[in-house]
Amino acid sequence: MPDTPYVIAAVLVAAAVTWALRALPFAALMALRNSATVRYLSTRMPAGVMLILVVYCLRDLPLTHTRSSAPLAALAVTVGLHLWRRNALLSILGGTVVHVALASTVFAR
């Protein structure tokens, strides 16, 4: 069994490293807060990331099979809810519920 001072020192070192790793991104980004590039990316990145996720998720989807109807219906519901309510949580939850319901009942293998 290690000595008590050794255990205390190990815990303190781990706590210091954890704190430093969590504080480092905020300290590094402080200089970038007034950057025009960061402001531009903060407005454009969310839509770009969502587009990449949609393409990635639907890239291997065979459009000729009936099982592709569940993800496409869920995508339509998600886009429709978001355009209607402009609420990301509602649109994501709505699309997920539609996909799970259709994939597990109507279009189950």
Side-chain angles (χ1 to χ4, degrees):
M1 182 80 178
D3 294 337
T4 303
Y6 177 79
V7 171
I8 291 173
V11 168
L12 289 175
V13 167
V17 168
T18 301
W19 182 85
L21 288 175
R22 290 182 182 214
L24 184 64
F26 293 102
L29 290 177
M30 194 62 86
L32 297 175
R33 294 219 186 267
N34 295 328
S35 169
T37 304
V38 172
R39 276 195 307 273
Y40 174 77
L41 289 176
S42 70
T43 60
R44 302 291 188 238
M45 283 288 285
V49 169
M50 292 304 294
L51 180 64
I52 291 169
L53 286 172
V54 167
V55 169
Y56 177 77
C57 290
L58 299 178
R59 68 188 163 123
D60 293 332
L61 191 65
L63 296 177
T64 58
H65 292 89
T66 58
R67 67 181 175 97
S68 64
S69 299
L72 294 175
L75 176 64
V77 167
T78 303
V79 170
L81 279 173
H82 189 71
L83 292 175
W84 177 47
R85 303 299 290 183
R86 298 279 184 207
N87 185 334
L89 181 62
L90 176 66
S91 59
I92 292 169
L93 285 176
T96 302
V97 166
V98 167
H99 182 267
V100 169
L102 291 176
S104 63
T105 57
V106 178
F107 300 109
R109 292 182 188 183

